[in-house]
Amino acid sequence: HIITAVVGSGVLSLAWAITQLGWVAGPVTLIIFSLITLFTSTLLADAYRHPDPVTGQRNYTYMDAVRAHLGGLKVRLCGLAQYANLVGVTVGYTITASMCMASVRRKKCLHAEDNCHVSTTIYMIIFGSIQLILCQVPNFHKLSWISILAAVMSITYSFIGLGLSVAKVAAGAQLNEGAEATTTWPTVSEAHRLWKVFQAIGNIAFAYAYSTVLIEIQDTLKSSPAENKTMKRASFVGISTTTIFYLLCGCVGYAAFGEDAPGDLLSGFHQPLWLLNVANVSVTIHLIGAYQVFAQPIFSLVESSCRQRWPEVKFVTTDHQITIPFLGGTGFHVNCFRLVWRSAYVIVTTVLAMLLPFFNVFLALIGAASFWPLTVYFPIEMYIARAKLPKFSFSWMGLQALSLACLLVSLVAAAGSVEGLIQSLKVYHPFKN
């Protein structure tokens, strides 16, 4: 579960991120992010139960844990950060999936030596149409095969990208050129390079977006041995494994392309066509399911809140039985509010993706916005409250220093992402090729 949650489409941007940071700073930044994520994950694992991490009452969601340990306004701030992150991820997945679908068509044109223009807009509409159907499937969160399929697909396209990069390096590609480029930077201004560095940090932060689902994963564990002990051990193995894999993908991708490393690793290859098509289709299938995994908590929150607020409104609470012909009377329940609300959500996220179809910039913005509050701030604050650390004690100051440093990192990453978004919007014309 941990490896599946961490290894996602963010792995495709790591070669580009390492390119911006260089051979030394790139791997060091990846390792630092992994260590911070591992440390705060151990703190968050202890927050699953309250007040005692072994015998206390269970907290089934991240917000439940914050409510039990901190309460008050911080619960709302946690909810705002978590659900804004989920919305951003669904938009980002729409962008990524459409980009991969368009890549299949674009590479076919290149091999046919046909100078065709391929727009991602039509593929975003296709992706959104698929989500319109899937979002109405009842009990989608119980379809365990979706997670298994997503895991297989993510491993497939990640290893294809890594394998193609290794093959390119073995063929004598950009290894030396890339090493020299980290010190010369001849083609871009220092200011532009600095913004790209900030954006690369955001891409790496997105790749470690794990804390938002840690509590939910821990809730699947049995209570013997204690969940927090099992979760800490699992987090160490899972994060260590993904970090090694990230270092391989990022560094080998950089070695293969040098300063020309693409924002999406797969887009830099043109041969063999069938293998690239397999990789791009795998990304698309993975993100079709992943979109629903991240959207379901949003659907559940809005629908449960509306049922509690308007219990007498039949439009909100009543389900209608629909029978499917030729299936032996099999049917499913349709709720009018769910039909309208979920469809509206998919349409809005699809339109947002059409307006902002910038892969690296958008992933960096999501990573920058979610890393500090969800991965660092709330786990540290819950630990301080649970351990009753005195203010200005050595441990308290150390944790606050870590939180402040991560806040500054998130701010500069967000600044780089916003600047990249502004520059991209200057030349982008929505809904055109």
Side-chain angles (χ1 to χ4, degrees), residues 170-395:
Q174 301 284 340
L175 184 61
N176 294 327
E177 178 185 335
E180 294 169 359
T182 58
T183 58
T184 56
W185 296 350
T187 59
V188 294
S189 68
E190 292 294 328
H192 182 72
R193 169 64 70 168
L194 187 61
W195 287 120
K196 292 292 187 182
V197 167
F198 292 162
Q199 188 178 321
I201 294 173
N203 282 132
I204 294 175
F206 179 83
Y208 280 101
Y210 160 54
S211 298
T212 54
V213 293
L214 185 147
I215 295 292
E216 285 78 0
I217 292 175
Q218 189 168 345
D219 190 46
T220 66
L221 298 174
K222 296 179 180 179
S223 58
S224 180
E227 301 96 344
N228 63 330
K229 293 182 180 179
T230 304
M231 197 65 194
K232 289 176 184 179
R233 191 162 57 249
S235 293
F236 176 78
V237 175
I239 294 175
S240 299
T241 303
T242 53
T243 298
I244 293 172
F245 187 66
Y246 280 176
L247 286 169
L248 285 172
C249 288
C251 293
V252 176
Y254 180 25
F257 290 98
E259 280 290 283
D260 296 324
D264 164 23
L265 181 62
L266 295 176
S267 67
F269 299 101
H270 304 295
Q271 292 283 356
L273 181 61
W274 69 270
L275 189 60
L276 290 168
N277 287 342
V278 168
N280 283 301
V281 170
S282 297
V283 176
T284 304
I285 294 173
H286 172 208
L287 297 185
I288 286 173
Y291 180 103
Q292 288 298 318
V293 170
F294 281 87
Q296 288 297 320
I298 304 172
F299 297 156
S300 178
L301 175 70
V302 172
E303 290 160 15
S304 60
S305 300
C306 290
R307 282 195 298 268
Q308 292 175 4
R309 186 168 183 177
W310 300 295
E312 72 285 351
V313 178
K314 293 183 177 181
F315 178 79
V316 175
T317 60
T318 303
D319 289 345
H320 302 278
Q321 179 74 17
I322 303 295
T323 302
I324 302 176
F326 310 113
L327 291 180
T330 302
F332 61 96
H333 295 281
V334 174
N335 179 279
C336 293
F337 174 73
R338 183 176 65 197
L339 179 65
V340 173
W341 142 243
R342 294 190 179 191
S343 299
Y345 177 85
V346 171
I347 292 171
V348 169
T349 55
T350 303
V351 172
L352 285 174
M354 291 178 186
L355 294 173
L356 304 169
F358 313 118
F359 176 70
N360 289 94
V361 173
F362 205 87
L363 295 192
L365 186 59
I366 298 170
S370 62
F371 177 73
W372 175 72
L374 299 175
T375 301
V376 180
Y377 175 75
F378 286 113
I380 285 178
E381 290 299 309
M382 286 190 285
Y383 172 76
I384 290 174
R386 184 175 61 255
K388 296 181 173 58
L389 294 181
K391 279 190 175 182
F392 305 110
S393 65
F394 181 78
S395 297

